[in-house]
Structure formats: structure tokens, C-alpha cells
Amino acid sequence: MHTTHKMLFIKLNQAASREWLPENIFPPGLQLKTLSSWKERREFYDTFEWQAFEKGFVIVKKKKKLFLADLNSGHETFSLSLPGNPSSFFSDTLPSGDLKNALSSCTEIRAFIKLCSIDVIIHSYRILDDNEKTIATLTSESLYLADKEQPEPFIHLFSLLPFKGYEDEMKLIQKALSDDVGTVLDFRELFLLIMNAAGRNIHDYSSKIRLDLDADAPIYESARQLLQFTFSIMRANESGIKKNIDSEFLHDYRVAIRRTRSILKQLKGVFDSEETAYYLNLFRDLGKRTNELRDMDVYLLKQATYFHYLPSTLQPSLKLFFTDIAASRRRLHKQFCSYLESTAYQSFLEEWDAFANRLSIPDPERSPNATLFTKSIGVESIKKAWKKVVRHGRQISRETTDTELHALRIDCKKLRYLLEFFSSIFPQKTTLPVIRQLKELQDNLGDFVDFSVQHHFLQERLLSIPPGKEQNVLAASIGGLMATLFQKQEETRSKFHKTFRSFDHEETSQLFHDLLSTPK
């Protein structure tokens, strides 16, 4: 028999008993036949950013198997064996197959984290017609949050899975159940209900700025909202950093620091100048504490790429290189986690929270721009940053140093942050094309700087290798990597002028003009 892919769920009303069965409301000629009863644990997974949910997937583990269900229908599309009870896993650790491919399409760098564990008591039945032919299956389920000392079910429900060809009978059963027993849910609604019971809020995190600023509000108020947002991103990522779940927690934490410094530095005259300098130094020092740790993350993320750069004869010796990198990362991670737990860091958080939430407008003599309109400051700040990128970009030549290109990259970041900060006060049709044009230039400069930094790091590693026969192959491997990275860096450099010409173009100039002159 073939079943349809759509499963119907009926949430029982509070007045209905979980043992209650709906034989008495079935259309004449239908009957129930008991199949079996059992208890199982279901464990749900997704990334910190709900990337599987965004793709329309629900990841659930039960009976030592991992299943991928369709968010809309509840149909389990793929499965594979997953023994043990992992608190998180990466897609690349799974056996090859459709499920791995589906999860890899969501992300290859974020871990899938256990969201919650649910215990389910299940009773299954068959629905038979006059000829005792099965036309559907009915399942009664009581769901509990696992590991509770005195568990209470947070929902009782029936799930109805009709067989093909019995749609009319199913409509009658569905109407009877929804009228007399409870509320009809689809699988998406059921999943959201489970997450809510577990204290999980879909879309409770995104590193993207999601603020709706008031264009006519004082810039001080808008800047405070931006600082509060970046602070919330820092705090949200601390736990993931400490638990060492994946490298993106540290990455988002660092971006929040850079955005905070950009707000303080670029929105001049909004805050007290002495306080601004004080906090800029504190956030600069905090960022420096993460630099080496992030570098180690980047090298480990590029491990497969580095191996691919080398001939097979030089690849084995590179394992020792990455073993050393991993050891350095463990040490740096431990040091930074100790700092996150320190009294000094906790005091800094309290002090900064008070500053970001201060309601009173600063002294106008120390903060002359604090009461100006948000849009006027946004327009002037973006215009100034855009002109700076164009001016510096036009000065780049074939002889330009790596340092100068790195400085231009920083200018681009500052412009990008301002566009993101103030995006809500401009029409989306004007902001998206501008950001898209800027991103192409940023990507080119980012690749160039990354190759430069990696080349310098490898050079230092090469110089630190002690003499000896056993180290010769490692030195050869690192030398080979350096040659490849230098070649790619020069290829990227040669593409810069073409990329910059696309940015420094009448079309882009018109986009900025439209952005900065169009009322929302």
C-alpha cells in the first residue's frame, strides 16, 4: 500500500483524556484495531542560526537513527545510523549519502546542536473499513520533556496517516476529530509547539542587524540601539565559545566587537569623546585577545584546501603541521575561556551594559551631534565613508604594498557597517544593490589579505623549524604551500583593478546617489 506524504496531527483539548479513543465518532463502518504501544526518545537538532529550519528541514534522532523530515509534511525523507548521544555534530562527520548532502547544503562550518530531548509514549492503531481493509493508521502520542524529575506531558495528540484512495473517508474522520477532540495542526505547527515547550525560540538569533531605526529620532537613541544589539550578539555567543561547539561563535563575537568599535568611532560627536576613547581602547584590547585563536580556527578550516594545494608526496608531513595548530588552538581557547570567566571581564560587561543603556542625552558640549536626526547623520557618515573608499582605491597601483590594500579593506568594512547600521531608514531597493556592489570589492580584498596573512604565518613557521632530516619534508611542504599562496595572492592582486573599476563606476555612483537622496 502507498501512503500519502501528508500526515495530520490533532492536538487534544485539555478536557480530552489521553487514553480516550475516537471510535464513537468515526463514520459508520469504520473500526480501530490496536497494533502496539511503546516509548521512545526523540532528540531534535539544528544549528545556532536555525539553518536546517530555514531550508525546510527538521532533524530528529530516534532509535539510534538520524532522520531528516520535511518541515511542511512531516514526511521522513532520509535517515542514517547515528549511535551514541552527541550534543552536537558536523555534517562532514556523517556517512556519505543523501542526508549528509542535505545537511551540508545548510552549512559545512556550523555544528548541528541538540535543541531538546522529548520522551513520547505511543499507541498505534489501524483504521479498518467494512471489509477489514486498512485505510489509515492512527497514532496516539503523549509528549514529555525528557530528564524532568516529575515529568508532565505538555501535549497529547493523534496523528493520522491516510492511505491513498481514501481521501473522502479521511475528510470525515478529520472533521469529526477536529470538531469533537481538538485542534488540527500541520507538522510545522507541531514542531514549533515542541520548540516552545522546550524553551526554544525559532529565529531567536541572527548576527545580521535587525533593527527598525526611526529616521527622525535623535542619533544618540539610534546609536544606543545599535550598541545594545552588538552587545547582545557578544553575550549570545559566549556560551558557544566556552563549549567549543564551532568556530562561528568566536567569529560572530569578533564581528560584534568590530561593529561596536565602528559605531563609536564613525558616529563622531554622538558620545562623550573621553568615554568614546576609553571604550574604544577596551574593545580593541578585547579583540586582540581573540586574534590568535581566530587565526588557528581559520587554518584548521582550510585544512582540506591546504592538502589539496600540495602533491600527494608532500601531504603526509602536513599532518604534523595541523597537529601543532590544533594544540596551539586548545591552549589559546583555554586562555580565552579563563578570561571570559574572570572578574575583570564580568566587571567590563556590567560597565558597558550601563553605558549602552544610559537614557540621558550627553552633555552637548562634549557630544554636539547627539540630538541630530538619525537620517542626517546616517547620510553624512555613509557619504564620507564612500568617498574615502573611492579616494583610497584610486591611489592603488601595481607597487601598492600589502599594508595599503589591507587599509583599503578596512575602509570597505567601515562603509559596509554603516550601510548595515542605517539600512532600515532607507528603501531596501536602494540599499541591496549598493551592498552587493561593495561586497564584490570586499571579497577581492579579503582574499588578498587572507593570502598575505597566511603566507606570512607560514614563513614564520618555516623559519622556526629546527634543522634535521625528519623536518626536511615538513619544510618542503610548507615551502610548497607558500609558493601556492603567493601565486594566488598575485592573481587576486591582478584582479583588484578590474573589480575596483566596477565599483568606481557611474552606475555605482548613481546607486549611492539614489540611496542617499531618496526618502523612505
Side-chain angles (χ1 to χ4, degrees):
M1 291 185 181
H2 299 287
T3 63
T4 65
H5 293 323
K6 189 72 173 178
M7 182 175 284
L8 176 69
F9 300 92
I10 301 96
K11 176 186 175 184
L12 271 66
N13 296 328
Q14 290 184 346
S17 167
R18 60 182 168 175
E19 287 83 19
W20 184 87
L21 289 175
E23 307 106 307
N24 56 328
I25 63 169
F26 277 8
L30 299 183
Q31 59 177 310
L32 283 180
K33 183 175 181 180
T34 301
L35 288 177
S36 58
S37 300
W38 69 95
K39 179 180 179 180
E40 72 179 25
R41 176 160 292 188
R42 298 174 187 169
E43 294 166 318
F44 293 88
Y45 291 84
D46 206 332
T47 68
F48 192 57
E49 298 178 270
W50 300 91
Q51 288 160 293
F53 182 87
E54 286 292 325
K55 282 273 192 176
F57 301 143
V58 171
I59 308 165
V60 58
K61 180 178 179 288
K62 53 186 178 180
K63 298 180 181 178
K64 298 183 179 180
K65 294 190 75 174
L66 194 67
F67 294 86
L68 196 65
D70 182 275
L71 179 61
N72 296 313
S73 69
H75 176 63
E76 293 174 350
T77 51
F78 308 122
S79 66
L80 56 78
S81 176
L82 186 68
N85 186 29
S87 58
S88 64
F89 63 86
F90 290 92
S91 62
D92 65 0
T93 63
L94 299 175
S96 298
D98 292 329
L99 195 151
K100 178 178 180 176
N101 293 339
L103 295 189
S104 295
S105 72
C106 298
T107 177
E108 292 185 332
I109 59 176
R110 294 231 72 154
F112 292 90
I113 308 165
K114 186 186 296 183
L115 302 173
C116 64
S117 298
I118 302 296
D119 286 328
V120 188
I121 297 177
I122 306 165
H123 303 279
S124 67
Y125 310 86
R126 285 191 294 167
I127 302 177
L128 308 178
D129 63 9
D130 283 338
N131 300 318
E132 296 195 350
K133 188 174 183 180
T134 301
I135 65 171
T137 59
L138 182 73
T139 304
S140 168
E141 298 184 351
S142 297
L143 278 62
Y144 304 75
L145 292 175
D147 303 323
K148 296 286 185 180
E149 290 185 6
Q150 296 180 330
E152 289 290 333
F154 61 86
I155 185 175
H156 301 296
L157 57 87
F158 290 118
S159 56
L160 184 67
L161 184 61
F163 286 0
K164 189 176 182 180
Y166 297 96
E167 287 80 10
D168 292 340
E169 292 88 343
M170 290 308 102
K171 288 178 181 178
L172 293 174
I173 296 174
Q174 174 182 338
K175 186 176 187 306
L177 290 173
S178 58
D179 288 347
D180 295 352
V181 182
T183 306
V184 175
L185 305 172
D186 60 25
F187 185 70
R188 182 190 184 95
E189 292 171 324
L190 174 60
F191 176 73
L192 293 175
L193 192 151
I194 293 171
M195 292 299 106
N196 183 63
R200 294 285 186 170
N201 179 20
I202 302 291
H203 296 150
D204 59 352
Y205 176 82
S206 172
S207 62
K208 295 180 180 178
I209 295 176
R210 299 180 297 181
L211 296 176
D212 189 13
L213 300 181
D214 182 352
D216 297 324
I219 183 59
Y220 177 73
E221 176 57 33
S222 298
R224 281 181 54 250
Q225 291 183 50
L226 289 165
L227 291 176
Q228 289 163 11
F229 174 79
T230 57
F231 186 51
S232 72
I233 296 299
M234 285 178 57
R235 300 309 311 273
N237 283 282
E238 287 175 2
S239 178
I241 293 172
K242 294 173 186 176
K243 293 177 182 177
N244 203 24
I245 295 173
D246 65 47
S247 61
E248 289 301 285
F249 287 95
L250 180 66
H251 174 263
D252 284 3
Y253 182 88
R254 283 167 52 83
V255 171
I257 291 173
R258 291 199 297 269
R259 281 175 168 167
T260 300
R261 297 191 77 242
S262 184
I263 294 165
L264 293 173
K265 200 168 186 177
Q266 296 198 85
L267 303 185
K268 298 185 184 302
V270 175
F271 300 101
D272 181 289
S273 57
E274 290 185 5
E275 286 186 311
T276 297
Y278 171 72
Y279 285 114
L280 279 172
N281 287 333
L282 288 180
F283 277 102
R284 181 198 60 201
D285 293 343
L286 179 58
K288 284 183 177 179
R289 288 180 179 273
T290 68
N291 286 346
E292 284 190 80
L293 180 57
R294 176 57 186 172
D295 288 344
M296 298 303 105
D297 281 341
V298 170
Y299 296 126
L300 291 171
L301 288 170
K302 291 182 175 290
Q303 185 169 342
T305 302
Y306 276 14
F307 275 99
H308 179 72
Y309 284 164
L310 293 176
S312 58
T313 53
L314 293 179
Q315 290 179 7
S317 63
L318 208 58
K319 293 179 180 179
L320 177 61
F321 171 77
F322 281 107
T323 299
D324 291 342
I325 293 289
S328 296
R329 191 206 176 277
R330 286 192 294 270
R331 173 180 54 81
L332 293 166
H333 177 257
K334 184 177 180 180
Q335 289 176 357
F336 186 60
C337 288
S338 295
Y339 175 71
L340 292 179
E341 297 287 352
S342 69
T343 303
Y345 182 68
Q346 298 305 316
S347 297
F348 162 70
L349 294 179
E350 292 176 10
E351 183 182 350
W352 176 248
D353 187 44
F355 176 84
N357 285 281
R358 187 189 298 166
L359 295 176
S360 58
I361 300 289
D363 183 343
E365 291 187 5
R366 292 178 172 270
S367 310
N369 296 333
T371 57
L372 297 181
F373 290 139
T374 292
K375 184 160 187 177
S376 64
I377 293 294
V379 167
E380 288 305 312
S381 299
I382 292 171
K383 186 184 297 183
K384 183 178 179 181
W386 166 46
K387 289 182 176 179
K388 187 174 182 181
V389 168
V390 172
R391 184 171 66 253
H392 285 184
R394 289 174 178 174
Q395 294 171 356
I396 300 299
S397 67
R398 294 289 177 184
E399 290 72 37
T400 297
T401 64
D402 294 1
T403 302
E404 289 171 308
L405 282 170
H406 180 60
L408 178 59
R409 183 195 187 193
I410 292 174
D411 290 339
C412 289
K413 278 187 177 182
K414 290 178 179 179
L415 175 57
R416 175 72 173 271
Y417 289 154
L418 286 171
L419 290 168
E420 292 172 346
F421 294 156
F422 294 106
S423 62
S424 63
I425 67 174
F426 299 108
Q428 192 177 61
K429 65 180 181 181
T430 61
T431 56
L432 292 180
V434 167
I435 291 176
R436 187 162 50 245
Q437 286 284 78
L438 179 60
K439 186 177 183 302
E440 291 182 18
L441 180 57
Q442 277 190 286
D443 288 345
N444 174 267
L445 289 167
D447 288 343
F448 179 87
V449 172
D450 287 347
F451 288 135
S452 175
V453 171
Q454 292 162 31
H455 187 274
H456 180 70
F457 174 79
L458 290 172
Q459 184 178 28
E460 290 186 338
R461 281 288 173 132
L462 182 61
L463 295 174
S464 69
I465 295 176
K469 185 176 180 180
E470 294 182 357
Q471 302 296 333
N472 288 344
V473 180
L474 175 60
S477 299
I478 293 178
L481 278 180
M482 289 175 62
T484 302
L485 290 175
F486 178 76
Q487 179 183 3
K488 291 186 174 297
Q489 180 185 356
E490 291 306 298
E491 290 173 357
T492 307
R493 185 198 296 270
S494 66
K495 292 178 183 177
F496 166 78
H497 293 283
K498 180 180 179 181
T499 306
F500 183 75
R501 281 196 300 272
S502 297
F503 179 80
D504 185 20
H505 190 271
E506 286 185 11
E507 181 180 346
T508 307
S509 180
Q510 186 62 48
L511 288 174
F512 272 95
H513 175 76
D514 293 343
L515 170 70
L516 300 175
S517 61
T518 305
K520 187 168 182 178

